[in-house]
Amino acid sequence: MNFYDIVFYLFAALTIASAGVLVFSRNVVYSAVGLLFALSGVAGLYVLLAADFVAIVQILIYVGGILVLLLFGVMLSQKGMRVDIGTGAKQLGPAMIVVAGVLVVLFRMIMKTPWALQSVSEFEPTTNKIGVLMMTDYLIPFEIASVLLLGALVGAAFIARKD
Amino acid sequence: MIVPTSYYLFLGGILFTIGVVGVLTRRNAIVIFMSIELMLNAVNLTLVSFSNHLNSLEGQVFVFFVMVVAAAEVAVGLALVVAIFRTKNTVNVDEFNLLKW
């Protein structure tokens, strides 16, 4: 077991444990903190996968943007200082059956597929190449995504407006 | 790379499943949003591991688009939650029955 393996298992354990906290915690703020660590763990795994640009964007957008937005949502939708509201779990039995089915299907698919051995390649920065891809092959989706984001933000401001 | 790609796929599968558990069992709208983010992250992890496996950057471009859509979704969703909280004074999804008849 070398350093790479240890780091992988560390980040994997961190991610799964915080995801468990996120889903099973009674307190919404604990859930948000669980999400913070889960997102950071995934960012670490991106670094291990030699995806430097995506890792930075993960930290910037998810941890810096979406998580803060979710925390604002938590703060804006609580009654007074009481953090604990009716957040009970329901239909645990049927949900577990569905989830076990999903997990079995996914794992069978992963185990039955003969994965080709990947070549070990030198790390090279990806930001430049991703930028070139976005401005050439994926220009139309890129523009559509920016229009979607603009529309979504204007719509969100309109919906949340007090009138 | 020393850790096989399938390990990353297993991890993505487990994360996705935990997200499904959250969406199916929790009743707080904001926790459901967080679980959806977790599922999106699981898929992103799968995309990046395939991008690494196939030595192609297109998977990472897709991850970028998924993140953009996730940001849009969270913005609109939280605006809806705040608007509904203002009228119904709750974020329990079982009590959102405005569209039922």
Side-chain angles (χ1 to χ4, degrees):
Chain A
M1 189 178 251
N2 60 8
F3 183 65
Y4 191 102
D5 289 359
I6 295 168
V7 174
F8 170 77
Y9 288 119
L10 223 73
F11 275 121
L14 171 74
T15 310
I16 290 178
S18 358
V21 170
L22 155 62
V23 168
F24 294 112
S25 162
R26 299 287 93 184
N27 189 326
V28 188
V29 179
Y30 289 175
S31 292
V33 176
L35 184 65
L36 164 70
F37 281 103
L39 296 175
S40 311
V42 173
L45 291 169
Y46 289 161
V47 173
L48 279 187
L49 285 165
D52 52 350
F53 174 74
V54 175
I56 296 296
V57 169
Q58 167 95 357
I59 299 280
L60 281 179
I61 293 186
Y62 269 110
V63 181
I66 290 178
L67 192 68
V68 173
L69 209 58
L70 280 167
L71 275 173
F72 267 111
V74 172
M75 300 304 168
L76 284 174
S77 63
Q78 308 295 335
K79 292 160 188 147
M81 290 306 287
R82 204 159 57 87
V83 178
D84 175 58
I85 48 171
T87 58
K90 266 192 176 177
Q91 295 132 3
L92 209 56
M96 285 304 162
I97 296 169
V98 172
V99 163
V102 171
L103 202 62
V104 166
V105 169
L106 282 176
F107 274 31
R108 265 185 69 82
M109 183 274 294
I110 296 170
M111 279 191 280
K112 283 181 92 74
T113 310
W115 300 106
L117 280 177
Q118 66 264 32
S119 55
V120 178
S121 52
E122 274 304 294
F123 169 73
E124 41 194 325
T126 57
T127 314
N128 184 16
K129 290 176 190 162
I130 289 177
V132 169
L133 269 179
M134 271 181 198
M135 282 295 127
T136 54
D137 290 2
Y138 295 95
L139 184 59
I140 298 288
F142 185 74
E143 297 297 338
I144 291 174
S146 54
V147 172
L148 168 79
L149 205 51
L150 176 68
L153 292 181
V154 172
F158 178 75
I159 292 169
R161 191 178 57 132
K162 195 174 257 168
D163 53 352
Chain B
M1 201 178 75
I2 305 101
V3 177
T5 304
S6 55
Y7 286 19
Y8 286 96
L9 300 183
F10 282 128
L11 181 60
I14 293 169
L15 275 184
F16 188 86
T17 317
I18 295 175
V20 175
V21 174
V23 170
L24 288 180
T25 61
R26 299 305 300 271
R27 297 293 101 203
N28 186 323
I30 294 175
V31 178
I32 291 178
F33 271 122
M34 292 182 194
S35 305
I36 292 173
E37 294 305 319
L38 200 64
M39 287 156 76
L40 288 168
N41 260 278
V43 174
N44 281 353
L45 185 64
T46 314
L47 281 170
V48 173
S49 58
F50 274 121
S51 150
N52 187 292
H53 186 83
L54 302 172
N55 237 333
S56 140
L57 280 180
E58 318 222 319
Q60 298 187 22
V61 177
F62 285 172
V63 168
F64 186 77
F65 289 132
V66 170
M67 282 176 179
V68 170
V69 175
E73 171 247 324
V74 160
V76 174
L78 280 175
L80 284 173
V81 168
V82 170
I84 291 176
F85 180 76
R86 207 173 278 143
T87 54
K88 307 272 290 184
N89 223 16
T90 179
V91 287
N92 187 334
V93 286
D94 280 345
E95 294 174 35
F96 297 168
N97 51 7
L98 294 166
L99 294 180
K100 283 185 189 160
W101 54 282

